Amino acid sequence: TVIEAQPRILMRGVPAEIAKIIHEAHEAEGVKILCGDGISAIADDGAGVRIALAGGKDIVADLAVIGIGAVPVTGLAAEAGLTIDNGIAVDAELRTSDPDIFAAGDCCSFPLAVYGG
């Protein structure tokens, strides 16, 4: 079982069309994917891991692997007046809204030609 608090998996990483393909492929292999529900508590009682979802459902598992994802740190860029759009917005050359400032890596969002820009 995969628990995703966002409305869909891979929300920040890929377009919805690709996430849908990945979601369906995993479900076809028997993975249950729960989207749009957060975790309110996790407890290991010695017999298993009990996961209480915010929506009221409980899940019991032998093992829990927890990944909290990545959120770009954009505070300094925002304070500098740079455009923020799911990260520091850059163009195809990694130039921010200030032509003298560039950003690269997980902190930025950039257009990809393969996805239509």
Side-chain angles (χ1 to χ4, degrees), residues 8-10 14-24 115:
R8 68 169 173 84
I9 62 169
L10 303 169
V14 300
E17 298 81 12
I18 293 173
K20 183 176 187 271
I21 292 167
I22 294 168
H23 183 128
E24 289 171 353
Y115 300 126

Side-chain angles (χ1 to χ4, degrees), residues 21-39:
I21 292 167
I22 294 168
H23 183 128
E24 289 171 353
H26 281 78
E27 283 192 333
E29 295 295 327
V31 177
K32 186 174 185 178
I33 300 177
L34 304 174
C35 294
D37 200 356
I39 295 173

Side-chain angles (χ1 to χ4, degrees), residues 51-69:
I51 303 161
L53 299 181
K57 183 176 181 176
D58 287 337
I59 296 173
V60 178
D62 295 327
L63 172 73
V65 177
I66 302 167
I68 60 169

Side-chain angles (χ1 to χ4, degrees), residues 12 14 21 24 34 41 44 50 54 60 63 65 72 78 85-86 93 97 105 114 117:
R12 188 165 185 277
V14 300
I21 292 167
E24 289 171 353
L34 304 174
D44 184 346
R50 298 191 176 280
V60 178
L63 172 73
V65 177
D85 180 15
N86 196 22
E93 285 77 39
S97 55
V114 70

